[in-house]
């Protein structure tokens, strides 16, 4: 009888502990969903108001070889409502197919947005500026679900380059 009573007590304790774990899991799931919704709202606002920073982690030069990891913190494009700041590495290919590393580094208040497209979790922003007699067109694709962003830089003089990285609100 004593063993039966102890067995029933153990079953009751295990059932109670299991029920508590489910409630804790439900609370964690609710908090995770709340955090994700807040992040999506913050990023949507940043993209709509053109107030964000793209930080590049990888560079893929068109026609110039494989993807290259960028190990420096200063590879970015920052957009504020009043100005654009660009600080990106760039590889140009000369006629003899030699790679010439350069750095595109400028700040301007003269830039234009062509289009802002939002297809649910996919954003596409296209903007342009001209600096030092070179017209730069930027195509930014951002996936809110996984946080990955791709910036394609298309200069009118030079080669196209793609950058992979992340976006954060300013």
């Amino acid at each position: 009888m004593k063993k039966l009573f102890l067995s029933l007590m153990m079953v009751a304790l295990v059932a109670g502990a299991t029920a508590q774990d489910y409630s804790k899991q439900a609370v964690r799931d609710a908090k995770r969903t709340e955090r994700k919704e807040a992040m999506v709202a913050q990023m949507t606002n940043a993209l709509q108001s053109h107030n964000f920073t793209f930080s590049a982690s990888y560079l893929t030069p068109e026609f110039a070889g494989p993807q290259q990891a960028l190990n420096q913190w200063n590879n970015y494009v920052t957009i504020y409502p009043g100005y654009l700041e660009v600080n990106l590495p760039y590889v140009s290919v000369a006629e003899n197919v030699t790679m010439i590393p350069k750095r595109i580094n400028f700040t301007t208040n003269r830039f234009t947005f062509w289009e802002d497209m939002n297809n649910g979790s996919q954003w596409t922003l296209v903007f342009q500026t001209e600096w030092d007699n070179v017209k730069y067109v930027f195509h930014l694709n951002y996936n809110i679900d996984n946080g990955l962003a791709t910036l394609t830089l298309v200069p009118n003089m030079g080669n196209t380059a793609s950058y992979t990285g992340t976006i954060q609100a300013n």
Side-chain angles (χ1 to χ4, degrees), residues 8 11-12 15 24 35 38-39 79-80 87-89 91 94 96 103 115 119 124 126 142 146 149 153 170:
L8 290 174
V11 168
K24 289 179 185 176
R35 284 192 307 269
M39 187 272 307
I79 299 173
Y80 288 100
N87 192 359
L88 291 173
V91 177
N96 61 0
R103 191 146 201 71
E115 32 182 317
N119 297 334
T124 301
V126 180
Y142 179 64
N146 62 18
L153 174 62
N170 291 336

Side-chain angles (χ1 to χ4, degrees), residues 40-114:
V40 167
Q42 179 186 29
M43 290 310 300
T44 300
N45 184 36
L47 292 166
Q48 286 174 337
S49 63
H50 305 151
N51 192 8
F52 60 88
T53 298
F54 168 80
S55 299
S57 302
Y58 294 96
L59 162 64
T60 307
E62 185 178 3
F63 309 120
Q67 188 177 54
Q68 301 170 16
L70 303 175
N71 297 323
Q72 299 172 331
W73 59 269
N74 62 343
N75 301 306
Y76 60 89
V77 173
T78 298
I79 299 173
Y80 288 100
Y83 71 94
L84 167 72
E85 184 177 346
V86 178
N87 192 359
L88 291 173
Y90 180 75
V91 177
S92 65
V93 179
E95 290 180 27
N96 61 0
V97 192
T98 319
M99 293 179 16
I100 303 168
K102 295 168 55 175
R103 191 146 201 71
I104 300 170
N105 187 0
F106 63 86
T107 302
T108 183
N109 60 358
R110 295 179 12 204
F111 63 100
T112 335
F113 274 87
W114 283 355

Side-chain angles (χ1 to χ4, degrees), residues 25-37:
Q25 181 67 37
V27 169
R28 286 195 302 268
D29 289 346
K31 286 183 179 181
R32 183 179 305 116
T33 301
E34 184 180 313
R35 284 192 307 269
K36 183 177 179 181
E37 288 172 356

